[in-house]
Amino acid sequence: MSVTYLVGFKVKAEQHDRFRRLLDAVLDAMREEESFRNATLHRHPDDPFSYLLHESWADHEEVLEVQLKRPYRAEWHAALPELLEQPRDISMWVPIRADGQIMNP
């Protein structure tokens, strides 16, 4: 079953650059995974340290059993307690429709 995760992050100001470096590396690696569908990283317009990650995958079980255990995620997962002011806010959704255009940041 296809699945979308919404992951909210509240980043410590002094860890912002490290947060982006580590997350960008994970996102770059995820792009090569066969079951990966898409991801969009958003920043709150009034708070430069609040982020929302929207990522979609082909199968929830495969994410749990395979993707979360990929070696390229190890440094990221280990650093999260140092990077964040509070634990991530993670919710799971099942997509029923997708529309879109290519974004120009």
Side-chain angles (χ1 to χ4, degrees), residues 26-101:
V26 170
L27 294 173
D28 289 345
M30 282 176 17
R31 192 178 316 137
E32 304 302 319
E33 300 290 350
E34 185 176 329
S35 64
F36 174 75
R37 296 298 173 254
N38 59 63
T40 305
L41 181 62
H42 306 267
R43 186 176 63 203
H44 193 283
D46 298 324
D47 181 354
F49 306 114
S50 290
Y51 287 86
L52 178 68
L53 176 61
H54 173 275
E55 65 180 272
S56 297
W57 294 84
D59 182 70
H60 175 64
E61 292 303 319
E62 196 261 350
V63 169
L64 295 178
E65 298 299 321
V66 178
Q67 297 304 328
L68 292 178
K69 299 173 185 174
R70 294 284 192 209
Y72 62 77
R73 293 177 179 268
E75 184 179 5
W76 162 252
H77 285 145
L80 284 172
E82 298 170 3
L83 299 174
L84 304 179
E85 288 188 9
Q86 60 198 39
R88 296 172 289 175
D89 178 24
I90 303 172
S91 62
M92 185 177 82
W93 299 79
V94 177
I96 59 171
R97 179 177 167 161
D99 301 291
Q101 297 177 338

